[in-house]
Amino acid sequence: MDDFVREKLIEWDLQKWMDKFEEAIVLSDVKNIMKFVHARLHEKDKLSAFLKKKISDLETDKRELVGVFGKTGAGKSSLINAIIEEKNLLPSGSVSACTSVMIKVEANMQGSNYEADIEFITPEEWKDELWSSHQFLGDNKDCEMDVDNDYRDISEKFSALYGEEWKGKSSDDLMDGKYFREIPEFLQGRRKILTCESAKELSARCVKYTRSDSKQGDGKDVKKWYWPLVKCVTVRVPNNDFLQHVTLVDLPGNGDRNKSRDKMWKQIVENCSTVWIVTEINRVIAEKEAWEILESASSYIGNGGECRQILFICTKSDHIEDSDDQSAAQRRDLIVKRNIQVKDEVRKEFSKLHKIKKHFTDDHFKVFTVSSKEFLKKKRLNADETEIPKLQQFLQDLNDCHSETFNYVSGAYGILSLIQGANCRGVAGKKHVCGELERTMSQQLKQVKKAMAEAYRTFERCLSKGVESSICSYGQKLKSFLFRKKGSAFHMTLKRVVQSGGIYKPKKGKQININMMLASHLMDSIDEEFRKTFPNEVKCGAFNGVIETFSLNTDFLNKHHKDVELQLRFLKTEEEKIKAKLNKTIRTQKKDVYNSVTQKIKETMEECYIKAAAFRGPGTLNNMRETIERHVHSNKGMFEQAKNTMLEKLNALMQCILVTLQKTMMESIELSLKTDNGSLPDFSAELSMVKENYDKLANSPVIR
C-alpha cells in the first residue's frame, strides 16, 4: 500500500469518525427536544395521549447478535479478543481447558469498569440433572463406562463441582448447601456480578464460572469449578466502539444437554443476524466438526431464525511449514498464496452442502483467513493481511447507527409536524384528503391480502405433498435408525434419546433428533418456498415485498394539498414506522410458524418416549424399538395435523399483520385529519430545530 493510498484511507476514516460524532450530537439534541415536548403535553384529550405515546415509541434498542461457533482449540477466544482489541478479556491458549458455557460480550454503557453478569440455572434444574444422570449411571452400571462419552461427560461435570465426593452419593446429598457456600446467589435464584478495573483481572475471576478444568494460566489455583451451574455469562466491556450496538456470543456447537441452557442456546441462535464458524486453517476441510456445526444449526439460523450472513473464519492463518532457506518475504508470499487457495476450497465445500443451501445462497457465505497472533505482533503479515481489520469493519457496519439516528429524527419531525398542523384551524382540504387516504389504504390492503392468499395456497400445496411423502417413508426412516446398530452401545444411545424427548446430543458427532427425522419430508417440502416468502435479508420483504411497497401515496397528495402538508408528513413517517414494526413482528413470529411442524411431531411422540424410557432389564432395546414403531404407525395422522398446525399459525400471522396495519394507519389518519385541537402547546421553534437536523441527515453522503 503506497503512502498516497494510506493517507487517503486515514483521511476517510477520520471523516467517517467525524460524521458519527456529529450524528451522536444530533441524536442527543433531538432526544432532549422530544423529552421537553413530552413533558409539556397533557393527557386530557385523545390527541395529546396519542402524541405522548408516539414520542415514547421513538426509542428503540437495536442490538445485533453475532453467534461465534467452533470446536475447542479453534481460537474463538483469541479471535474475539483481537477483534475488539482486548487482549486479555477471554482466557485462551490452553488445549486442556475449553469454554464450557455461553459467553456474551457486549459494551458496558453504564460505567467504566469491566463486568461479568453470571446467570445460574435454577437449583431445581440442577437437581433434575443430578437425578437423570444418576438414572443413567444406574441403568448402565454393567457397561464399559471408561470408554463411554456420556459417562466421561457426567464425571467431568460432577468432579468439577464436587471433586471425588459425588461418587456414591444421592441427588439429595449433592444438593447440600455446603457445596454452594461460595455462590449463595445460586441457591437464592440471583445473578452474581463481578466488577473489575481491568480485563485481565476479570478474566482471572471468571475462569471458574466459564472454563472446564485447567491446570494452566488463570486456572492453576482453582480448587472448585462452578461452570456446570452456569447458564450464561455476560461480559461487559467499557469504551469499546466495536460493541456499541453488537453482542458477540461464544456458543457451544450444537446446544446443551441441560434443558435450560439448551433453551437459551436455541433462543440466541435463532436471533443471530450473523453467524461465525471458526476453525483452524490447516484442518479446514478434513476437520468435519465445523461443517457439522453449520449443518446442525442451519434450520435454527436460516428459515427458523434471522441470520443474514455466514462467515467461515479460518484461524491461525500465519501457520505454515518453515524452511531455513526461505526469506521472510518468501514465507509471507507462501502464506498469502495458501490462504487464497483455502478460501477457494472452503467455497467449493459449501456449495456441496445441499441441506444448508436450502436456507442460504452463495451470496450469504463469506470466507476469511485470519491470524489473531500476527495482528498483534506483525512478524510475518501486516495488519490487513491478517484480515482482522476486515472483521472489525464488519462489526462497525453492524454498529452503524445512522439509520437509528435518522429514524428517530424523522419520527420526531413527523410528530412535531402533526402538532403544528393540529393547531392550524379550519383547513378546508382535510375532508377530501382523508377520503383519498382511506380509498388508497383500502386498495393497498387488497394487494397485501392477495399476496398473502397466494402464499397460503402455495404452502398448503407444498405441505400436502410433504404429508404424502412422510406417510410413504416413515417406516423405512425409523428402521434405518432403530436397527442400524446392535449391542449395549446403541441400547444406551436410544435410552438417552427417549429420556430426552427424542433428541440426544452426544459429546462428539451429530445430534440425533427423531422428531426432525420424522418431520424431514414436511420441512423439505416447504424450505425453498419459506425462504422466498420470509427472507432474512433486510432489503427483501416478506410476501414478495408487498408490505415494503405498501404506501398511502402521501408524496403525491402533498403536491396538490399544501394546506395539509404537515399532517401528510406525519403520516409518511408513521407509514415507515409501522412497516418497520411489522417486519420485526414477522421476523419473530415466522420462527414459530416454521418450527410448528417439528413441535407438533414432538408433542405427538412424547407419550411413546415416556413409555420407552420406563423399560428396564433384558429385552429393553427391542421393547423400546417396538414401542416407537407401534406409536408412529398408529399416529401417522400426525403428519396431517402438523400441516394444519403450520397453516393455522401462518394464517394467524397474516391476520395479525393486516389488523395491525389497518388499525394503526386508520388511527393515525383520523387523529391527523379529523381532529382540530388548538389547545396544544406551540412547538414551532422545536419543529424548526428538528427540521434543520432532519435536512442535515437527509443530505448526508452516508444517508441511512
Side-chain angles (χ1 to χ4, degrees):
M1 187 185 298
D2 59 39
D3 291 341
F4 175 77
V5 174
R6 195 183 306 278
E7 187 179 320
K8 285 296 179 185
L9 284 173
I10 293 171
E11 185 181 318
W12 183 78
D13 284 341
L14 180 61
Q15 183 59 51
K16 193 171 182 181
W17 181 85
M18 290 174 66
D19 288 340
K20 287 192 174 184
F21 181 71
E22 189 174 352
E23 267 185 43
I25 293 173
V26 167
L27 184 59
S28 177
D29 287 347
V30 175
K31 281 188 175 183
N32 286 332
I33 288 171
M34 298 314 289
K35 282 179 185 176
F36 170 75
V37 173
H38 188 277
R40 286 198 61 196
L41 286 170
H42 55 75
E43 294 189 38
K44 294 179 181 178
D45 59 81
K46 193 175 180 181
L47 179 57
S48 295
F50 173 80
L51 290 165
K52 285 176 80 77
K53 184 179 183 304
K54 290 296 176 184
I55 293 171
S56 299
D57 289 345
L58 289 173
E59 289 283 359
T60 56
D61 181 22
K62 179 191 174 188
R63 293 205 71 80
E64 299 283 349
L65 271 182
V66 176
V68 186
F69 294 85
K71 65 171 286 186
T72 301
K76 289 186 294 178
S77 298
S78 298
L79 176 70
I80 292 172
N81 288 347
I83 290 171
I84 65 173
E85 298 182 359
E86 287 285 357
K87 182 181 177 182
N88 300 309
L89 185 66
L90 301 181
S92 61
S94 171
V95 176
S96 62
C98 64
T99 305
S100 299
V101 301
M102 285 175 284
I103 300 179
K104 297 181 184 179
V105 182
E106 59 188 36
N108 184 356
M109 308 298 287
Q110 308 299 325
S112 58
N113 287 319
Y114 292 82
E115 293 179 359
D117 184 336
I118 302 166
E119 182 181 358
F120 297 100
I121 62 175
T122 67
E124 292 75 21
E125 287 166 344
W126 179 241
K127 188 173 182 179
D128 182 57
E129 190 165 340
L130 288 171
W131 183 86
S132 61
S133 296
H134 276 94
Q135 286 289 107
F136 170 79
L137 296 174
D139 287 345
N140 300 284
K141 58 186 176 184
D142 296 326
C143 297
E144 297 179 16
M145 291 297 187
D146 56 322
V147 297
D148 182 70
N149 284 325
D150 287 314
Y151 176 79
R152 284 200 295 270
D153 188 37
I154 292 170
S155 179
E156 179 189 18
K157 193 177 291 186
F158 288 2
S159 297
L161 182 60
Y162 300 109
E164 294 301 306
E165 287 186 45
W166 67 273
K167 295 178 180 178
K169 291 196 174 183
S170 69
S171 302
D172 290 333
D173 292 336
L174 295 175
M175 287 302 296
D176 193 301
K178 68 180 182 181
Y179 296 113
F180 314 108
R181 284 184 187 132
E182 287 186 45
I183 48 168
E185 297 89 349
F186 166 67
L187 293 176
Q188 295 163 4
R190 296 189 294 113
R191 298 183 180 212
K192 188 177 188 70
I193 308 294
L194 304 177
T195 304
C196 302
E197 292 184 359
S198 70
K200 190 172 184 179
E201 181 190 356
L202 185 70
S203 179
R205 291 181 64 189
C206 269
V207 70
K208 68 172 70 174
Y209 301 101
T210 61
R211 307 273 281 178
S212 61
D213 191 7
S214 169
K215 302 304 179 187
Q216 304 174 26
D218 294 329
K220 63 185 178 183
D221 297 322
V222 176
K223 293 184 174 62
K224 186 174 281 195
W225 302 83
Y226 295 113
W227 58 264
L229 304 176
V230 175
K231 189 174 183 180
C232 179
V233 176
T234 302
V235 176
R236 298 192 179 95
V237 182
N239 309 315
N240 196 295
D241 290 340
F242 296 112
L243 301 172
Q244 187 179 5
H245 297 287
V246 170
T247 296
L248 296 171
V249 192
D250 186 346
L251 288 156
N254 63 349
D256 197 287
R257 296 182 188 183
N258 175 274
K259 291 179 182 178
S260 177
R261 281 193 291 263
D262 191 58
K263 184 179 180 182
M264 176 176 271
W265 181 88
K266 286 178 182 174
Q267 288 173 342
I268 290 173
V269 170
E270 287 173 358
N271 290 328
C272 287
S273 60
T274 304
V275 162
W276 294 0
I277 306 294
V278 183
T279 188
E280 287 185 59
I281 195 166
N282 289 331
R283 296 181 54 78
V284 66
I285 303 300
E287 177 55 66
K288 297 300 180 184
E289 189 164 343
W291 298 103
E292 286 174 358
I293 288 171
L294 179 56
E295 189 172 14
S296 65
S298 60
S299 62
Y300 294 116
I301 64 177
N303 286 339
E306 50 188 87
C307 179
R308 300 190 292 274
Q309 286 194 80
I310 298 170
L311 273 55
F312 202 95
I313 301 172
C314 308
T315 59
K316 305 177 185 179
S317 68
D318 59 304
H319 287 199
I320 200 164
E321 285 189 25
D322 283 338
S323 176
D324 293 336
D325 59 353
Q326 288 175 337
S327 67
Q330 287 174 323
R331 284 196 294 270
R332 175 200 161 277
D333 289 343
L334 282 173
I335 291 170
V336 171
K337 184 178 179 180
R338 188 276 315 272
N339 292 351
I340 292 171
Q341 182 182 348
V342 165
K343 287 185 178 183
D344 288 338
E345 289 175 358
V346 170
R347 291 189 191 101
K348 287 177 183 175
E349 191 68 19
F350 178 76
S351 66
K352 300 174 187 175
L353 303 176
H354 302 299
K355 181 179 177 181
I356 299 168
K357 296 297 286 288
K358 292 176 184 176
H359 301 268
F360 300 97
T361 65
D362 291 338
D363 294 336
H364 300 116
F365 186 76
K366 291 182 172 58
V367 188
F368 293 84
T369 52
V370 306
S371 173
S372 307
K373 179 180 173 183
E374 282 297 302
F375 178 70
L376 297 171
K377 296 186 176 180
K378 301 178 180 65
K379 286 185 177 180
R380 293 181 169 185
L381 303 170
N382 62 45
D384 289 337
E385 287 167 339
T386 70
E387 297 204 344
I388 293 292
K390 288 184 179 179
L391 292 174
Q392 289 179 325
Q393 185 57 54
F394 181 85
L395 291 187
Q396 289 286 22
D397 292 341
L398 285 179
N399 268 309
D400 186 4
C401 60
H402 188 92
S403 60
E404 180 195 2
T405 303
F406 186 83
N407 290 341
Y408 188 96
V409 174
S410 174
Y413 184 27
I415 291 167
L416 290 169
S417 297
L418 176 57
I419 294 172
Q420 187 74 0
N423 283 332
C424 299
R425 291 182 175 275
V427 177
K430 277 186 178 183
K431 188 174 181 180
H432 174 72
V433 171
C434 191
E436 285 289 318
L437 287 167
E438 288 174 352
R439 279 191 292 275
T440 301
M441 188 170 75
S442 177
Q443 293 167 359
Q444 291 287 297
L445 285 172
K446 284 180 182 177
Q447 293 300 314
V448 175
K449 288 176 183 177
K450 181 181 177 183
M452 287 180 172
E454 288 175 1
Y456 185 92
R457 286 193 295 270
T458 301
F459 279 115
E460 188 174 30
R461 185 172 62 253
C462 292
L463 285 166
S464 294
K465 291 180 180 177
V467 169
E468 291 177 17
S469 299
S470 298
I471 292 172
C472 291
S473 65
Y474 76 83
Q476 187 57 44
K477 277 185 175 292
L478 277 177
K479 274 187 168 56
S480 64
F481 167 67
L482 293 173
F483 295 91
R484 62 180 178 175
K485 292 180 182 177
K486 297 180 180 180
S488 61
F490 183 67
H491 162 259
M492 291 160 60
T493 298
L494 188 57
K495 193 74 166 178
R496 295 306 291 264
V497 171
V498 296
Q499 285 175 339
S500 305
I503 305 166
Y504 172 57
K505 298 176 174 63
K507 190 76 173 177
K508 292 183 180 179
K510 293 184 179 181
Q511 172 183 278
I512 297 169
N513 191 325
I514 295 180
N515 309 311
M516 279 191 172
M517 179 184 71
L518 291 170
S520 60
H521 280 293
L522 283 165
M523 303 313 291
D524 288 345
S525 73
I526 61 163
D527 270 333
E528 187 176 347
E529 194 60 39
F530 202 93
R531 178 161 60 88
K532 291 178 184 176
T533 306
F534 300 107
N536 287 338
E537 296 89 337
V538 175
K539 292 180 181 178
C540 304
F543 300 104
N544 290 319
V546 72
I547 295 170
E548 291 299 310
T549 57
F550 177 92
S551 174
L552 294 180
N553 212 6
T554 51
D555 288 338
F556 174 80
L557 289 171
N558 198 21
K559 292 177 183 177
H560 299 86
H561 300 279
K562 289 293 182 183
D563 52 343
V564 288
E565 177 184 9
L566 295 168
Q567 289 89 336
L568 290 171
R569 182 179 298 130
F570 167 74
L571 288 173
K572 184 176 181 180
T573 60
E574 281 300 286
E575 188 182 289
E576 295 303 316
K577 279 173 62 182
I578 189 59
K579 287 195 280 189
K581 179 182 177 181
L582 288 174
N583 284 333
K584 187 176 180 180
T585 299
I586 291 168
R587 280 198 305 273
T588 301
Q589 293 192 22
K590 68 111 172 177
K591 301 170 194 174
D592 189 37
V593 173
Y594 183 77
N595 293 324
S596 63
V597 171
T598 307
Q599 182 61 32
K600 185 62 181 178
I601 299 291
K602 182 183 177 185
E603 289 171 4
T604 307
M605 293 294 293
E606 277 177 1
E607 181 185 343
C608 87
Y609 294 144
I610 294 169
K611 285 182 181 178
F615 288 115
R616 299 284 186 277
T620 293
L621 178 58
N622 284 334
N623 287 334
M624 287 192 293
R625 285 168 168 166
E626 289 174 8
T627 298
I628 294 169
E629 279 192 302
R630 280 199 306 268
H631 184 84
V632 175
H633 184 68
S634 61
N635 288 275
K636 56 189 174 184
M638 64 181 169
F639 301 116
E640 183 72 24
Q641 292 168 5
K643 163 196 160 184
N644 293 335
T645 298
M646 182 179 178
L647 291 174
E648 286 167 10
K649 287 186 176 291
L650 176 63
N651 186 59
L653 172 58
M654 295 189 301
Q655 293 306 311
C656 173
I657 292 166
L658 287 167
V659 169
T660 303
L661 187 56
Q662 183 173 18
K663 183 180 177 182
T664 303
M665 293 314 299
M666 274 304 300
E667 183 183 33
S668 297
I669 290 170
E670 287 177 4
L671 288 169
S672 300
L673 296 163
K674 295 183 179 181
T675 305
D676 285 323
N677 194 332
S679 64
L680 291 173
D682 180 17
F683 294 117
S684 53
E686 286 75 17
L687 173 60
S688 178
M689 287 187 283
V690 171
K691 182 182 184 304
E692 184 180 341
N693 283 312
Y694 172 84
D695 291 339
K696 191 187 298 181
L697 289 173
N699 294 320
S700 168
V702 285
I703 183 66
R704 287 177 265 186

